[in-house]
Amino acid sequence: MSIRIAPSLLAADFADYGKAVSDLEKWKADSVHCDVMDGIFVPNITFGQPMIKALRERTELELDVHLMIADPGRYVEEFALAGADIITVHAEACGHLHRVLQQIHSAGKLAGVALNPSTSEKVLEYVMDQVDLILCMSVNPGFGGQKFIPSTLGKLSRVADMIKASGRSIRLEVDGGVTPNNAADVIAAGADMIVSGSAVFGAKDPAAAIAAMRK
Ligand code: DX5
Ligand code: ZN
């Protein structure tokens, strides 16, 4: 199984995202994880679709857009036009999750569903045929640099079983507090895509940190 590493720009220098994406290319990241926050669904605010458009002009790396915004269906088309490759919405933020996933597919993008640490994987049951990626949050969304919540490991393996049972090819992404020290645990639990912010951009040798997590 090949593991994809998606460093989060949340931990990069906000005044120099152009450099951050060219660094990520050098460091052999697989994707760029873009954390969009609205100050309503989560207590923090980051950036929106103009940033995705600007990043698209700078890199060919996969843009993995994690929408931590209320009622994300309002913005799916705009993020697609801006150049996102994957659009992930929170199950908790959607009144009509199934419809929003259809919207993402109609826009020609891969559709992801994210679950907060306290949200049961049961919410996925009736959308398994509509998802390309499932993101299990391993911290409460809103901030980088938090500690990994261990109950996520059980959830990852339950979701991995659901994916297997579906017979579809669905990525299983984990996001929050993942470092080279616990990457093996999340991979053993079934994750095949790892988001990491501070452990990459804060590392002395970010390329080595990315390589270590992939192993
Ligand atoms: C949290 C974000 C994560 C976070 C990961 O709300 O969704 O992507 O930035 O950062 P670290 O790896 O520092 O926990
Ligand atoms: Zn994220």
Side-chain angles (χ1 to χ4, degrees), residues 8 10 33-37 64 66 68 135 137 175-176 195:
S8 166
L10 196 57
H33 187 79
C34 307
D35 286 308
V36 176
M37 304 188 188
D64 173 33
H66 178 192
M68 285 163 278
L135 185 164
M137 288 299 310
D175 182 8
V195 176

Side-chain angles (χ1 to χ4, degrees), residues 143-154:
F143 304 94
Q146 304 179 78
K147 222 171 135 261
F148 183 87
I149 298 172
S151 60
T152 312
L153 291 175

Side-chain angles (χ1 to χ4, degrees), residues 58-89:
R58 294 288 191 102
T59 186
E60 308 252 294
L61 284 176
E62 178 176 76
L63 295 179
D64 173 33
V65 177
H66 178 192
L67 296 182
M68 285 163 278
I69 66 177
D71 201 359
R74 296 173 297 154
Y75 290 103
V76 161
E77 284 75 17
E78 288 186 38
F79 278 98
L81 270 178
D85 295 298
I86 305 170
I87 300 178
T88 296
V89 296

